[in-house]
Amino acid sequence: MVVTDPSQPDNPIIFCNAAFIRMTGYSANEIIGKNCRFLQGSETDRTLVDQIRAAIERREEVAIEILNYRKNGSTIWNALFISPVYDESGELKYFFASQLDISRRKEAEDPSSLTKIFDPFFSTKGAGKGVGKGTGLGLSMAYGFMRQSGGAVAATNRAGGGVTFTLLFPRSKGMVEQTRQPVAHSRGEGQHILMVEDQPQVADLSQRVRQLLDGPNGVT
């Protein structure tokens, strides 16, 4: 969130919170004293900018979704809400503005994203988005597994946001006899297993399972 002072020339920002700093990538020193237009860029819709300017001139609330830019040049879809703040005498003192990063929702709603989400290294999470940013390999690996199994996977946008994934597995032909065959087990002799995982919890679980298997009472 930010607070601006309309009594000063160009209605500058006089306060910003830590969430705004994280979202934009700018430091507080780079933000304070500037008009919010510094977040605009070449692809920012000028019609929406005019709507914001008109609402401020009329001292009205405005809620709008607008494309802004971070310090590193990457884009961010911003759910922006601006409201005037009056004192007890009815005089305009400040403008309060809240911002919410809705980039992932916007990207999921974009039909073109659905044609690329199974490509290796494509991710809607984006760089610099903090916790949960991905490598873009999860869906491509799932797609490859389904194709190798003779099945298919599809993705469709849901009304109101989100994506539905449909996994189609091939049907078994004929009756499958449930017979038990003796299975020969053997312990590895110095082989190495390479595991690539971007989720710390899954990597930690895999490490513990490996230690149990390698222990004195491990499975043989």
Side-chain angles (χ1 to χ4, degrees):
M1 60 163 285
V2 300
V3 176
T4 67
D5 185 355
S7 67
Q8 297 186 41
D10 207 25
N11 192 20
I13 297 172
I14 60 172
F15 170 82
C16 66
N17 66 357
F20 185 82
I21 292 173
R22 288 193 301 269
M23 187 177 73
T24 63
Y26 290 92
S27 67
N29 290 335
E30 294 173 307
I31 297 170
I32 301 300
K34 288 186 177 180
N35 183 281
C36 293
R37 74 173 66 91
F38 77 95
L39 295 176
Q40 300 171 18
S42 59
E43 297 184 19
T44 302
D45 191 330
R46 310 315 300 178
T47 302
L48 298 179
V49 174
D50 291 339
Q51 291 180 26
I52 295 172
R53 183 182 298 111
I56 291 175
E57 291 176 353
R58 294 193 298 265
R59 302 182 177 184
E60 296 177 348
E61 292 183 351
V62 60
I64 209 163
E65 296 178 356
I66 188 168
L67 186 69
N68 286 149
Y69 286 76
R70 298 183 180 89
K71 182 179 180 179
N72 64 9
S74 62
T75 57
I76 175 175
W77 275 103
N78 180 11
L80 175 65
F81 173 75
I82 301 175
S83 178
V85 179
Y86 298 91
D87 63 14
E88 295 179 354
S89 64
E91 180 181 355
L92 177 65
K93 296 293 293 183
Y94 309 108
F95 278 100
F96 163 84
S98 66
Q99 300 81 19
L100 178 64
D101 182 357
I102 58 170
S103 301
R104 291 185 64 184
R105 194 202 80 196
K106 282 288 189 178
E107 290 163 351
E109 292 173 351
D110 182 0
S112 64
S113 294
L114 290 181
T115 65
K116 299 180 290 185
I117 59 175
F118 297 113
D119 294 346
F121 305 110
F122 175 80
S123 176
T124 61
K125 296 179 181 178
K129 293 190 178 180
V131 178
K133 63 181 180 180
T135 61
L137 290 174
L139 287 176
S140 65
M141 292 174 65
Y143 178 81
F145 169 78
M146 293 301 299
R147 296 293 294 175
Q148 291 175 8
S149 302
V153 57
T156 54
N157 282 324
R158 292 188 305 179
V163 177
T164 297
F165 290 92
T166 304
L167 304 181
L168 303 175
F169 293 88
R171 187 177 64 178
S172 176
K173 297 181 180 179
M175 296 293 294
V176 178
E177 296 183 3
Q178 297 186 2
T179 59
R180 291 183 177 273
Q181 298 293 335
V183 179
H185 296 279
S186 63
R187 182 181 292 273
E189 297 294 338
Q191 293 90 342
H192 292 81
I193 298 176
L194 174 63
M195 179 175 179
V196 180
E197 176 55 54
D198 64 347
Q199 296 296 323
Q201 299 88 342
V202 178
D204 180 65
L205 176 61
S206 301
Q207 176 72 4
R208 283 183 285 170
V209 170
R210 186 192 63 79
Q211 292 173 347
L212 288 173
L213 294 176
D214 290 343
N217 299 318
V219 177
T220 61

